[in-house]
Amino acid sequence: MNLRRTVAVAHKEVREIIRDRLFFSLAFIVPAVLMVLFGYGLSLDVEKLPLAIIDRDGTSMSREYAHRFIDSRYFDFKGYSFSERDLEQPITDNLIRAAIVIPEHFQKDLLQGRPAHIQTFIDGTFPFRALTAKGYAIAINAQITADSLASYLAQTSGMSVAEAAAVFQPVKLEVRYLFNQSLKSIWSLAPKLIMVILMISPPFLTALGVVREKETGSIYNIYASTLSRGEYLVGKSVPYIVISTLNVLFLWWMATGLFGAPFKGSFVFFLLSSVLYVTCTTGIGVVVSVLVRTQVAAMIGTAIFTMVPAVLYSGVLIPISSLSRSAKLVAYLLPGMYYTNIVMGTFLKGVGFSALWRDVLVLLIYAMLLFSIGYAFFRKRPNS
Amino acid sequence: MGETQVVAGCSHSVEADRIPAVIRVSALRKEYGKQSAIAGISLEVQKGEIYGLIGPDGAGKSSLMKIVAGVLTFDAGEIEVFGVSLNSDSNAERIKDRIGFMPQGLGLNLYPDLSIEENIDFFANLRLVQSSQLTARKQKLLEMTHLEAFRARPMKQLSGGMKQKLGLICSLIHEPKLLVLDEPTTGVDPVSRRDFWAILGVLLKEHGTTALVSTAYMDEATRFHRVALLFGGQVVAQGAPEEIQQLVPARIVAITIPSPAVALSRLRAEFPQIEALGSLLQVFVEDKAGLDARARVVRVLGDVKPARVETMDPQLEDVFIALLRIKKLTTEPDRTSTLPAAPVSNPTQPKTPYAIEAKELVRDFGGFKAVNKVSFRVAPGEIFGLLGANGAGKTTVIKMLTGILPPTAGSGSVAGADMQTAGRKIKERIGYMSQAFSLYLDLTVEENIKLYAGIYGLPASVARERFRWVVQMAGLEGRESKAAQSLPMGLRQRLALGCALVHRPQILFLDEPTSGVDPVGRRRFWEILFTLAREEGVAILVTTHYMNEAEHCDHLALMFAGRVVADASPSDMKSEVERQSGKLVEIDAVHTSAALDLLVKAGFKGSVLFGSRIHVFSKDVPGDTERIKAALSEDPARSILPRSLTMEDVFVERVMALEQAVETTKNGAVS
């Protein structure tokens, strides 16, 4: 391998990326924009659900019941209403997503020991959100029921309220969430977004960079010269790996600085394995580019090979363990999942090489495989 | 003249026999899927030769050059370069250190965002040129090509001619032994082209470099030592240009005749190759022992008396067409005699003295004046040629006149309607055919024609009638249900013309209509244009970069940097140049570059290298011939003969004068 020729190719590539407006923004602006868009847009927390309450009872107990919902951080109380009909319009306009109806004689029924029925309406257009909201409503309702039972028992038996509560809940479930104590979804999402973005941008850049040369005909400068295939592939991909590494640093800063995700592991380990990962994804771009001829085909090819798997099969939305057998197979065949393990490990768990060496090894094999395929299929004397 | 040329040709091949061939190709075949690109080509290129591959698009030039450069595989046959058989990828690698390759497409292999110097440095680094050598070579090449002042300018901001020269520098920076240039002059104006050939000639001679160069322009054949005429993946003829000329010994008899129909039918019975350009018939008369070409034509004409009869030497293109005809290689179906008669249902057109009138048209793009005060007029029935290099503003003028682009200033009328206010009316009255032929390639011939009939809202009965007319005019009988894609270029082009004519416009705009079409197809196309103009009174505005097509126009406007710098008939333009600069004298010297130096020293400042010949303008031909002889007394030229001017000579002369004027005013402003 001749260093001067390799450097010449790399140097030329860097100049073109920096001077070409499209390539420049693809390289330096698009990753950050994606991070912001996904980071703020893909939040999986359901909070501040707009809520309306119809209180047909109007007693102190019904008001107290309503206040338990009004005070919850999961609901955003928009006001009292008098009839279901009044709610139709705000619900169709998406101003209200949940409503609670407290019936007449709510207090009377409770005081006389009869069960009271609360009706709840939840917007079901997004099943995920609806289920979560239902869970909140059930939890709040259960708490109210337990509290009222406890206070009733305390009144009748002379026990303190706390004692009475303990009688009703002999087994109390204490949940402590590990790694993400307050269960903020952005904490785990931001590191995974680094994986998604670095799965998308380096292959796009690389594939377009190579195929552009095929389209214009400047690839013939390479074909007709004494530059070897290896020199070309290395010279061509190193700039993209370096750019992607800069993006790793920037995205890391966004994840920890902008989105407040904790970073508990070794930064050096994170950085080195990230370089390996972007080498991998750059390799995907190399493989796509040797197989296609036009920039359009390159874009479609990389989109299919990277975007869909990165989002669906790498544990961003659905944990790998919850995937179906065949989907799991897909996940194991793609590099994204392994890097997800690495980012989750270094960001949230604070583990390092000893825990993650298998993932690093897979990425290494992956990178070598991709570049070998690229090398094998890149012909300096094609047949058309 | 003929005799001296034969001698010249022979002496070349004698020299060549002593040295082993640089390129040896035998029975080479290449297919792309089912499509055959090269169907058995054999040829040899000797050391130091400039070998030309000439032929229309699809002749197999590019494929052959790529195979020679080791950047394309082939399917059968053999090829050796520098004695290395290119039968494997690794063998192909062995020759690449000695090869410079410039692929097709003006400047497309260069890097638009890199400056001139960065582009050169990149190529030098790829080729591992030592930095001390690089500095010297770069300096020399940049000076020769007059690019020195633009070292830091990004390639994308260069003109076509500059890109082409930069491409040449980049492919020469490692001083290859073999240079492979694929259509380096396509799309470049004649001045830059001439410049390019001169530089190439000098550089190749200096290092004894061999070159394989392709071109789509027949008239560039004289630039080469030897040429191969390619057609349909086969070699139609090869040898020195003069030798090829001799393959079909003939004369062209040009007769001018006001109503040529009878004359044409009589002549066609006897002479298979006639170019009918309105009242001018150019008859290709093959030599027959003891018979005078002119006398034969006059005899065939019988009682039809032409207004004028002239005889001249055939161009290489005439010979090429004759060879294709003799070898039955042409893709053209047998010609229909003339244009089908147009029905009388001619839509009413407002009668105006001028079909097109442009008055002081200006178009600014940002701060750049693409078109600057352009005025001209085209009468009905006139073929008006708009000439100029790429970027001279031709297409912009057409876009303004057809109402696609509003002018910044100035006015114009087309078919009696004001182009600024009556855009729609204009579009109904004109036909427009673009460089890309504006056909839907996946549709059949019939569907294409009907689509255009529908676009122009023709009633069904008229549409049927026009469909038949187009099919007959374009010679598409029997191919109505073929996809446009499957047609040869020539037919495709005539189908596009038919689509542009479907609504019987009285004005036709043609933007480089013949790019990439083979000579036979091009001629047929021009014959149709002439019939349209002369018999149906259609006004035709055509742009072209084939200078020999410009000769066919009734009137020419020459555009340079957005302005019309000459506006006259071709013959007027020629006589104007002859009046200003003198007659053209062609010198066939034994040692061309040495002779050129001697001539410049002897005071012939305007001497230019034209292939293996030297061209000099002279106001006193007999006197100058003696002076040239005296200057070259030590090594006498093979021939010194006056030569008639071509439109290319006119174009070059005009533009060089203008460039000098620009230069002078600049320098004046500085000092």
Side-chain angles (χ1 to χ4, degrees):
Chain A
M1 180 169 287
N2 184 293
L3 194 63
R4 182 174 166 200
R5 289 196 294 234
T6 317
V7 169
V9 174
H11 192 188
K12 181 225 68 174
E13 201 65 24
V14 169
R15 280 174 167 154
E16 286 198 294
I17 297 166
I18 290 174
R19 293 177 196 175
D20 186 306
R21 219 178 290 166
L22 174 74
F23 269 72
F24 183 84
S25 40
L26 261 182
F28 294 103
I29 296 169
V30 169
V33 170
L34 282 178
M35 186 77 172
V36 169
L37 292 179
F38 275 123
Y40 285 114
L42 200 69
S43 171
L44 301 178
D45 297 330
V46 179
E47 281 186 9
K48 293 188 180 153
L49 213 62
L51 171 80
I53 295 174
I54 301 172
D55 186 354
R56 294 218 171 97
D57 196 36
T59 57
S60 62
M61 280 180 87
S62 73
R63 274 194 297 277
E64 195 190 329
Y65 186 88
H67 263 278
R68 296 295 275 267
F69 280 88
I70 293 169
D71 295 342
S72 159
R73 73 164 156 125
Y74 301 112
F75 293 102
D76 178 16
F77 179 61
K78 292 287 184 193
Y80 284 105
S81 182
F82 297 103
S83 70
E84 280 96 335
R85 188 168 300 164
D86 288 348
L87 285 179
E88 272 173 22
Q89 198 54 44
I91 284 180
T92 40
D93 291 348
N94 295 335
L95 298 172
I96 298 293
R97 299 220 181 261
I100 288 166
V101 184
I102 305 173
E104 285 170 326
H105 316 304
F106 174 77
Q107 179 167 322
K108 201 169 141 198
D109 285 349
L110 281 182
L111 290 177
Q112 290 175 357
R114 284 194 298 268
H117 294 274
I118 301 284
Q119 205 179 2
T120 317
F121 299 100
I122 297 170
D123 178 355
T125 44
F126 280 94
F128 171 76
R129 188 178 59 202
L131 281 173
T132 314
K134 181 187 159 200
Y136 294 155
I138 289 172
I140 293 171
N141 185 60
Q143 189 66 37
I144 295 168
T145 313
D147 287 356
S148 69
L149 272 172
S151 65
Y152 174 74
L153 189 67
Q155 272 169 23
T156 50
S157 68
M159 285 188 276
S160 74
V161 176
E163 280 168 342
V167 170
F168 277 100
Q169 266 187 311
V171 182
K172 198 165 177 178
L173 188 65
E174 280 267 346
V175 181
R176 229 186 102 223
Y177 294 105
L178 294 171
F179 311 127
N180 187 355
Q181 285 76 3
S182 51
L183 269 195
K184 281 191 183 162
S185 68
I186 191 67
W187 280 23
S188 65
L189 190 64
K192 284 176 189 164
L193 282 180
I194 299 182
M195 181 279 297
V196 173
I197 292 164
L198 294 177
M199 177 72 119
I200 295 169
S201 108
F204 259 90
L205 268 178
T206 317
L208 288 181
V210 176
V211 175
R212 178 172 63 164
E213 294 212 43
K214 282 192 188 177
E215 268 188 4
T216 60
S218 60
I219 194 80
Y220 281 106
N221 302 335
I222 307 301
Y223 291 162
S225 74
T226 43
L227 188 83
S228 76
R229 290 188 277 163
E231 285 163 359
Y232 176 69
L233 289 179
V234 171
K236 191 86 186 175
S237 45
V238 161
Y240 294 107
I241 295 173
V242 171
I243 288 169
S244 303
T245 306
L246 293 176
N247 277 320
V248 167
L249 295 173
F250 191 64
L251 294 177
W252 178 87
W253 173 80
M254 286 179 88
T256 54
L258 192 62
F259 293 117
F263 185 80
K264 298 172 181 164
S266 149
F267 186 73
V268 174
F269 171 70
F270 166 74
L271 190 62
L272 290 178
S273 48
S274 296
V275 171
L276 190 58
Y277 176 65
V278 295
T279 309
C280 248
T281 54
T282 303
I284 296 178
V286 169
V287 171
V288 170
S289 67
V290 294
L291 298 177
V292 303
R293 258 162 218 264
T294 62
Q295 297 198 51
V296 175
M299 301 241 276
I300 295 170
T302 35
I304 291 171
F305 276 109
T306 62
M307 262 207 234
V308 180
V311 176
L312 294 183
Y313 295 95
S314 308
V316 176
L317 298 178
I318 313 151
I320 303 291
S321 51
S322 316
L323 292 174
S324 71
R325 263 179 85 98
S326 47
K328 225 181 255 184
L329 185 71
V330 176
Y332 276 89
L333 285 175
L334 295 164
M337 184 192 84
Y338 304 97
Y339 186 65
T340 306
N341 293 341
I342 293 173
V343 285
M344 295 312 284
T346 47
F347 268 80
L348 298 179
K349 297 186 189 171
V351 293
F353 186 74
S354 54
L356 296 166
W357 65 270
R358 284 179 207 85
D359 298 297
V360 174
L361 183 68
V362 171
L363 288 183
L364 185 68
I365 294 170
Y366 220 105
M368 293 197 304
L369 194 69
L370 284 167
F371 276 90
S372 305
I373 295 172
Y375 183 80
F377 280 92
F378 182 75
R379 290 255 89 94
K380 280 185 71 187
R381 201 173 67 132
N383 58 15
S384 62
Chain B
M1 182 172 161
E3 276 168 46
T4 44
Q5 281 171 336
V6 176
V7 173
C10 289
S11 70
H12 260 294
S13 41
V14 169
E15 269 172 18
D17 282 343
R18 286 186 229 125
I19 316 158
V22 173
I23 304 171
R24 182 172 289 141
V25 177
S26 70
L28 191 73
R29 304 186 82 85
K30 171 73 191 172
E31 275 121 44
Y32 298 109
K34 281 181 187 164
Q35 188 110 27
S36 168
I38 297 179
I41 286 183
S42 302
L43 53 85
E44 277 186 14
V45 178
Q46 310 297 336
K47 190 174 182 305
E49 251 186 334
I50 306 183
Y51 194 96
L53 298 176
I54 307 183
D57 281 9
K61 306 188 296 288
S62 284
S63 298
L64 179 57
M65 305 192 96
K66 283 180 186 166
I67 292 171
V68 169
V71 296
L72 183 71
T73 59
F74 54 93
D75 296 314
E78 273 177 58
I79 174 162
E80 271 179 28
V81 178
F82 302 120
V84 178
S85 171
L86 303 186
N87 51 12
S88 70
D89 282 10
S90 54
N91 269 354
E93 286 300 295
R94 284 172 55 201
I95 58 161
K96 287 182 182 171
D97 55 341
R98 286 161 281 175
I99 286 190
F101 176 58
M102 187 161 117
Q104 202 176 344
L106 191 57
L108 280 181
N109 72 318
L110 302 172
Y111 303 94
D113 291 304
L114 267 55
S115 70
I116 287 189
E117 184 153 24
E118 286 167 342
N119 265 293
I120 300 173
D121 287 349
F122 173 67
F123 281 82
N125 283 328
L126 271 194
R127 299 298 194 159
L128 303 178
V129 179
Q130 280 171 11
S131 59
S132 56
Q133 282 182 327
L134 173 60
T135 318
R137 275 184 211 167
K138 197 158 58 177
Q139 188 66 31
K140 184 185 154 203
L141 289 167
L142 285 173
E143 271 169 19
M144 268 190 88
T145 49
H146 307 291
L147 292 176
E148 175 65 29
F150 310 104
R151 267 178 192 249
R153 184 180 287 192
M155 175 286 226
K156 62 184 168 194
Q157 290 169 15
L158 301 180
S159 71
M162 288 159 92
K163 283 179 187 166
Q164 169 208 42
K165 284 186 222 159
L166 176 59
L168 182 67
I169 296 179
C170 289
S171 54
L172 276 173
I173 196 72
H174 59 295
E175 295 192 342
K177 298 261 176 289
L178 170 62
L179 190 59
V180 181
L181 305 173
D182 194 357
E183 296 203 9
T185 52
T186 296
V188 184
D189 64 279
V191 180
S192 301
R193 242 154 66 191
R194 191 168 276 209
D195 215 15
F196 180 85
W197 289 115
I199 294 167
L200 185 69
V202 172
L203 286 174
L204 294 181
K205 192 133 204 165
E206 210 169 293
H207 299 282
T209 313
T210 311
L212 181 67
V213 188
S214 67
T215 177
Y217 304 101
M218 286 281 156
D219 50 358
E220 287 190 334
T222 44
R223 306 289 189 180
F224 306 111
H225 296 124
R226 287 197 306 148
V227 297
L229 299 184
L230 299 190
F231 188 85
Q234 287 175 295
V235 176
V236 178
Q238 61 179 316
E242 302 81 4
E243 292 171 339
I244 290 179
Q245 202 98 24
Q246 291 302 314
L247 288 176
V248 191
R251 299 283 285 166
I252 293 282
V253 179
I255 56 176
T256 314
I257 203 157
S259 47
V262 183
L264 197 56
S265 64
R266 284 186 190 174
L267 287 168
R268 283 240 159 94
E270 185 79 7
F271 305 104
Q273 192 173 334
I274 301 168
E275 201 178 355
L277 304 169
S279 56
L280 177 71
L281 303 180
Q282 296 201 345
V283 190
F284 184 84
V285 185
E286 283 180 51
D287 286 0
K288 272 189 185 162
L291 286 176
D292 179 53
R294 184 192 171 113
R296 281 171 66 198
V297 169
V298 172
R299 200 190 63 228
V300 169
L301 282 175
D303 57 346
V304 181
K305 294 290 171 227
R308 238 176 103 189
V309 182
E310 268 182 300
T311 54
M312 47 192 161
D313 283 330
Q315 304 279 314
L316 188 67
E317 189 172 291
D318 299 304
V319 177
F320 182 58
I321 292 170
L323 284 166
L324 289 182
R325 180 168 48 79
I326 292 163
K327 299 193 175 191
K328 299 205 176 357
L329 280 172
T330 173
T331 53
E332 291 290 327
D334 281 341
R335 68 172 69 226
T336 46
S337 56
T338 40
L339 218 56
V344 257
S345 66
N346 204 352
T348 49
Q349 301 275 347
K351 292 285 168 220
T352 43
Y354 292 106
I356 306 171
E357 194 166 10
K359 280 186 211 143
E360 307 264 298
L361 281 180
V362 177
R363 176 68 208 190
D364 280 331
F365 289 112
F368 169 66
K369 264 197 170 53
V371 171
N372 190 359
K373 291 196 178 168
V374 164
S375 307
F376 58 79
R377 291 194 285 216
V378 185
E382 188 176 55
I383 300 180
F384 186 90
L386 206 51
L387 302 185
N390 285 356
K394 307 188 296 283
T395 303
T396 314
V397 167
I398 289 193
K399 280 187 178 164
M400 286 194 282
L401 288 173
T402 50
I404 298 171
L405 193 71
T408 312
S411 63
S413 69
V414 174
D418 187 319
M419 59 171 235
Q420 272 183 320
T421 53
R424 201 198 148 95
K425 223 182 262 172
I426 289 177
K427 277 172 199 147
E428 284 167 0
R429 291 177 191 168
I430 62 164
Y432 173 65
M433 181 179 154
S434 72
Q435 302 173 5
F437 294 178
S438 43
L439 287 175
Y440 293 86
L441 292 179
D442 293 327
L443 297 187
T444 65
V445 169
E446 186 173 357
E447 286 163 344
N448 264 298
I449 300 171
K450 291 201 167 152
L451 173 70
Y452 277 89
I455 289 173
Y456 286 108
L458 298 189
S461 60
V462 180
R464 268 197 303 280
E465 178 193 300
R466 293 302 291 166
F467 167 68
R468 279 193 296 276
W469 183 88
V470 171
V471 167
Q472 209 185 336
M473 176 276 288
L476 285 163
E477 293 96 338
R479 303 198 197 210
E480 291 90 340
S481 54
K482 287 252 169 63
Q485 203 156 18
S486 68
L487 300 176
M489 284 296 263
L491 279 177
R492 216 188 276 182
Q493 169 208 39
R494 293 203 294 274
L495 172 60
L497 178 67
C499 290
L501 287 170
V502 78
H503 57 301
R504 299 183 56 73
Q506 284 305 293
I507 296 168
L508 191 55
F509 287 89
L510 304 167
D511 196 359
E512 298 202 357
T514 51
S515 288
V517 177
D518 65 272
V520 187
R522 276 215 314 266
R523 291 203 168 182
R524 178 105 190 252
F525 186 78
W526 274 92
E527 288 182 7
I528 293 171
L529 293 190
F530 266 96
T531 318
L532 280 172
R534 298 294 183 266
E535 286 169 23
E536 299 200 25
V538 176
I540 299 174
L541 189 148
V542 58
T543 68
T544 179
H545 53 88
Y546 287 99
M547 285 297 144
N548 55 359
E549 286 188 355
E551 315 246 0
H552 300 336
C553 296
D554 300 315
H555 203 93
L556 289 173
L558 186 61
M559 285 194 72
F560 176 76
R563 288 181 301 137
V564 168
V565 293
D567 182 358
S569 71
S571 53
D572 286 349
M573 279 197 184
K574 284 180 194 169
S575 40
E576 175 68 15
V577 168
E578 284 190 344
R579 199 174 53 75
Q580 282 178 0
S581 310
K583 292 218 186 291
L584 191 67
V585 175
E586 185 176 80
I587 302 148
D588 182 9
V590 183
H591 298 101
T592 328
S593 48
L596 187 65
D597 288 344
L598 287 172
L599 286 173
V600 173
K601 267 185 212 146
F604 293 97
K605 294 272 183 252
S607 308
V608 280
L609 202 59
F610 197 95
S612 50
R613 311 292 168 84
I614 297 166
H615 283 185
V616 174
F617 274 104
S618 158
K619 287 192 174 167
D620 165 25
V621 177
D624 278 337
T625 307
E626 287 312 310
R627 277 189 281 278
I628 291 166
K629 272 186 187 157
L632 303 178
S633 56
E634 304 221 331
D635 188 8
R638 295 192 192 99
S639 68
I640 302 168
L641 290 165
R643 193 176 164 280
S644 55
L645 276 177
T646 63
M647 268 324 291
E648 187 181 325
D649 293 310
V650 174
F651 187 99
V652 172
E653 192 60 23
R654 281 276 165 205
V655 173
M656 291 219 303
L658 282 164
E659 279 175 344
Q660 257 159 22
V662 171
E663 207 73 355
T664 324
T665 44
K666 258 190 206 162
N667 292 344
V670 170
S671 62

